Amino acid sequence: MALPIVQTGHPVLRTVAQLLTREQILSVEIQSLIEEMRETMRAAPGVGLAAPQVGQSIQVVVIEDDAGLKTNMSQEALDARERVPVPFHVLVNPVLEAQGDEIIDFFEGCLSVNGYAALTPRHRTVKVTALNEFGEEFTTNASGWYARILQHEVDHLNGLLYIDRMKTTSFTTMSNKVQYWD
Ligand code: ZN
């Protein structure tokens, strides 16, 4: 069942989320939350969702990107964003480290700032170490759009939103973005 997504202004989005132990990750509660977060992300639809966005102040993120299959994004636009499909996966207690100095600006939106977008600078390449849904540690190296998703979701766990990092004068409704800026 898809869960309601909390909107900006809710204090849970401005709270540093709690770390989980391996035992907690394996609990029925967290396993069902992960399942519900997957359904919520797919229903939205979105390419990432952090637990605070469904009102849970814990360090859980789900990510899945079909690379525009549903949005019919052009190949040119996908290439510019270095956007490739990312299969469904779960990150618990993620630790993110920027790799290199390259910063890239693209329009970014958030399910918790519904209906808006803005140019948001992000590191092109990052390295993230996290636990998966089985409590096993893994490391992922990411570039381009996947790196952007990771930075956006890890920000959520630290009480940050893209609007804290955006180029403020680019802030736009989604419909004006499509009409004037795409
Ligand atoms: Zn978001």
Side-chain angles (χ1 to χ4, degrees), residues 16-21 24-27 29-38 41 48-63 88-94 130-134 150 152-158:
V16 177
Q18 297 291 309
L19 297 167
L20 292 184
T21 64
Q24 287 173 316
I25 295 168
L26 298 175
S27 70
E29 290 75 17
I30 299 300
Q31 292 295 313
S32 11
L33 175 69
I34 289 170
E35 196 49 48
E36 288 174 325
M37 285 176 64
R38 168 162 43 184
M41 173 177 64
L49 189 71
Q53 296 183 272
V54 293
Q56 302 288 324
S57 195
I58 53 176
Q59 300 229 352
V60 178
V61 162
V62 294
I63 290 177
F88 177 82
H89 64 293
V90 178
L91 301 102
V92 179
N93 305 344
L131 303 178
N132 65 16
E133 66 270 48
F134 309 110
L150 285 165
H152 180 115
E153 300 308 333
V154 171
D155 270 356
H156 273 302
L157 303 181
N158 291 308

Side-chain angles (χ1 to χ4, degrees), residues 13 48-50 53 108-113 122 152-153 156 160-162:
L13 294 172
L49 189 71
Q53 296 183 272
E108 193 171 310
C110 177
L111 297 172
S112 296
V113 189
R122 296 288 187 186
H152 180 115
E153 300 308 333
H156 273 302
L160 295 173
L161 299 171
Y162 82 86

